Amino acid sequence: MADMFLEKFCSLVPKYLEDQWNEADGLNSEELSEGLAQSKVSIPFVLEEFFRALGNNEDFMEAYHYFFDPEELEIEDGYLLFLEDEEEKFVWGFKASQLDVPDPIVYRRNNAKGTWTSEEGTFSEFTLDMFTWVFDELAAELED
């Protein structure tokens, strides 16, 4: 499958960090394959491209929320978990039945209640919106 999302994710580095994207920002194919072999899960194409673009960049992997590294990915409650907030109140994932969809819908679990709700957007939409919010928050904090 041709790169569908890679360029969008790579473009976040110059957009928010005012630096050029380079290969060290992402995971190479071998690193990604090794991590996925440890976690024993398959991932949607969009998450693969996200890791290839930004999987080594802490500014994105740990920006208010924590993206799980490939070896930390797991399926729980019928969802592939990929992201958690810093207070561990919420976790985000994809329905395990939708992992073959290139850019699946994201769901959020309230950890206290154990309930899942749709974010009503795909991973690419959700992630790009989340980084806009995160970096706008950081910019506002720096202005104060």
Side-chain angles (χ1 to χ4, degrees):
M1 190 177 288
D3 296 339
M4 296 172 55
F5 310 100
L6 188 65
E7 191 173 307
K8 280 185 180 181
F9 293 135
C10 291
S11 73
L12 297 175
V13 173
K15 180 176 182 175
Y16 294 120
L17 304 182
E18 298 177 5
D19 196 4
Q20 292 296 313
W21 178 87
N22 66 69
E23 289 182 19
D25 287 316
L27 299 175
N28 64 40
S29 296
E30 185 177 310
E31 293 168 318
L32 182 56
S33 293
E34 287 174 8
L36 293 175
Q38 287 179 34
S39 65
K40 298 181 175 111
V41 298
S42 61
I43 61 173
F45 185 71
V46 68
L47 188 56
E48 178 183 325
E49 290 201 336
F50 174 80
F51 283 130
R52 287 179 44 218
L54 300 172
N56 274 330
N57 189 311
E58 286 185 18
D59 291 316
F60 291 97
M61 294 294 290
E62 298 179 5
Y64 283 106
H65 295 70
Y66 300 99
F67 282 91
F68 298 167
D69 292 327
E71 62 273 10
E72 300 170 328
L73 296 171
E74 65 180 310
I75 294 179
E76 191 176 294
D77 299 337
Y79 292 82
L80 173 66
L81 310 181
F82 65 84
L83 178 70
E84 167 174 70
D85 70 315
E86 62 186 346
E87 295 157 356
E88 299 181 6
K89 292 181 179 181
F90 298 96
V91 67
W92 286 263
F94 309 112
K95 286 185 176 181
S97 63
Q98 298 293 306
L99 297 180
D100 59 341
V101 175
D103 192 12
I105 299 293
V106 172
Y107 292 82
R108 180 185 68 205
R109 181 182 70 197
N110 179 318
N111 288 335
K113 297 178 182 176
T115 55
W116 287 91
T117 55
S118 173
E119 291 286 5
E120 299 184 10
T122 64
F123 179 84
S124 62
E125 294 166 332
F126 170 81
T127 305
L128 296 172
D129 288 349
M130 184 189 79
F131 287 134
T132 297
W133 172 78
V134 164
F135 287 99
D136 285 352
E137 284 285 316
L138 287 173
E141 287 177 16
L142 291 174
E143 289 177 7
D144 289 343

